Amino acid sequence: MKYAAIAGGVVVAVIGTLIAVGHFSTNPQKWVAKRYSKVGYHRYHSPKPPPLVAAEITRKFRPIDRLTDSAGTYLQYSKWVVGVLPSGAGSDITVDGPSDGYSRYASHVGGHWQRPGSSGWGRHGGASFRGGGSGSGK
């Protein structure tokens, strides 16, 4: 009986971990690709308006930061930048790596987000690696 309780506890812990990892994942690229119509390389379309699409994405994947201006909504993740922009009655969605996304939307996010490091952003939005060679930072 004692071993059954331990085994049951392990199973519950494993299932809980799998649910938590799926729920708190910070990689929206595959989810966006499955949910919306592909229109180009890392570009997608939805017939829904941008505020609704951005809300769907942020409900599933909590961003490090979110900026909204008259041109669209920009979601910052450690390894991704998601842009949700109006397109007719719907939305165009882009999913880029940190450098490409920052470059694409620099005129919108540049005054708010730091330029990403070589490994993207840390969990608070700072550059995750500042680089340097031999003797750097000493």
Side-chain angles (χ1 to χ4, degrees), residues 11 28 38 42 48 53 71 87 100 107 111 116-117 120-121 130 134:
V11 168
K38 186 172 181 113
H42 287 215
K48 300 174 186 173
V53 172
S87 175
D100 290 341
S107 63
W121 290 285
R130 297 203 181 262
S134 175

Side-chain angles (χ1 to χ4, degrees), residues 41-125:
Y41 181 73
H42 287 215
R43 292 186 53 233
Y44 306 89
H45 182 78
S46 171
K48 300 174 186 173
L52 185 56
V53 172
E56 289 175 346
I57 296 169
T58 59
R59 261 195 307 275
K60 182 70 176 171
F61 301 96
R62 183 176 175 185
I64 294 170
D65 197 9
R66 173 186 175 142
L67 294 171
T68 300
D69 64 14
S70 60
T73 297
Y74 315 95
L75 307 172
Q76 178 190 39
Y77 296 92
S78 62
K79 303 280 185 195
W80 301 100
V81 173
V82 178
V84 184
L85 299 104
S87 175
S91 301
D92 279 339
I93 305 123
T94 59
V95 184
D96 294 302
S99 293
D100 290 341
Y102 184 89
S103 294
R104 182 192 299 261
Y105 298 119
S107 63
H108 303 277
V109 303
H112 303 281
W113 297 351
Q114 290 183 12
R115 183 172 297 280
S118 60
S119 296
W121 290 285
R123 66 178 182 211
H124 298 293

Side-chain angles (χ1 to χ4, degrees), residues 24-32 61 77-80 95:
F24 296 109
S25 172
T26 58
N27 183 350
Q29 196 276 327
K30 289 181 183 177
W31 185 83
V32 167
F61 301 96
Y77 296 92
S78 62
K79 303 280 185 195
W80 301 100
V95 184

